[in-house]
Amino acid sequence: MALLPILTHPNERLHIVAKPVEKIDERIRQLVSDMAETMYESRGIGLAATQVDVHERVVVIDLSEEKNQLLALINPVITKKDGETTYEEGCLSVPGIYDTVTRAETITVEYFDVDGEKHTLDADGLLAICIQHELDHLLGKLFVEYLSPLKQNRIKTKMKKRQRETM
């Protein structure tokens, strides 16, 4: 297992649309393992492959306190959305920034696991929010893009300043 570097906003590579995984093999299983380790080490609850500069449709999520209920979604597709809810979101690619985003309250997602098995999952609450957030990454979209242009510019300025300070 290995820790992967996480891209941070405003890195343009975060806007690359991920391609479907063509074959679930040892490379993809290793990617899932490395992404999980990276997510846990970074104290996150979800991570999309796009965030670690791998532009394939892979997401890992774990909402458990014990960090022992890893959900790996390969080639996930939301097939149904219903209702509306708001939640204060954060993101490993936009560290230290939190804001309220409106998303579907319940979703149905189809995906493959690391063994190539197809699943359908009905999700609500934080799991539904997290899946939608991570799938946005696969489409090249960050949660800050749901915010007003003024907030987006403030966040981009703050992130650029942080990057300059750490160089």
Side-chain angles (χ1 to χ4, degrees):
M1 297 205 329
L3 289 177
L4 304 170
I6 297 174
L7 299 176
T8 56
H9 179 60
N11 191 310
E12 286 302 313
R13 299 193 62 73
L14 287 166
H15 297 290
I16 296 173
V17 176
K19 293 177 173 35
V21 171
E22 292 188 20
K23 185 171 129 189
I24 300 172
D25 55 13
E26 190 51 41
R27 181 184 68 83
I28 294 298
R29 285 187 279 280
Q30 186 63 53
L31 174 63
V32 166
S33 178
D34 292 346
M35 286 174 60
E37 182 180 356
T38 302
M39 175 185 69
Y40 292 138
E41 182 69 24
S42 302
R43 304 173 65 91
I45 59 172
L47 187 67
T50 301
Q51 293 176 271
V52 294
D53 209 14
V54 176
H55 303 283
E56 294 180 88
R57 294 188 58 80
V58 178
V59 165
V60 294
I61 294 172
D62 191 341
L63 304 181
S64 69
E65 290 290 322
E66 303 79 21
K67 301 300 177 202
N68 62 357
Q69 296 176 24
L70 183 68
L71 178 62
L73 297 91
I74 300 169
N75 291 337
V77 176
I78 294 174
T79 58
K80 183 179 174 191
K81 292 182 177 186
D82 198 29
E84 194 174 273
T85 189
T86 57
Y87 196 84
E88 186 176 74
E89 296 185 23
C91 181
L92 295 175
S93 289
V94 194
I97 304 294
Y98 301 89
D99 214 314
T100 303
V101 176
T102 301
R103 296 196 184 269
E105 187 172 20
T106 62
I107 62 166
T108 300
V109 62
E110 293 181 354
Y111 66 95
F112 292 90
D113 65 19
V114 293
D115 297 318
E117 301 283 326
K118 188 171 186 178
H119 298 271
T120 301
L121 174 66
D122 294 316
D124 61 7
L126 183 56
L127 181 57
I129 299 290
C130 192
I131 291 170
Q132 292 172 84
H133 176 110
E134 299 308 332
L135 269 58
D136 272 356
H137 279 298
L138 300 180
L139 298 172
K141 187 171 184 177
L142 297 166
F143 87 97
V144 296
E145 293 172 50
Y146 288 96
L147 307 177
S148 72
L150 179 64
K151 281 187 177 181
Q152 287 183 47
N153 284 332
R154 284 183 181 159
I155 291 167
K156 188 179 279 189
T157 299
K158 188 181 282 189
M159 296 302 295
K160 284 180 178 177
K161 182 179 178 194
R162 276 190 201 159
Q163 287 175 346
R164 283 193 306 270
E165 289 170 354
T166 57
M167 289 181 158

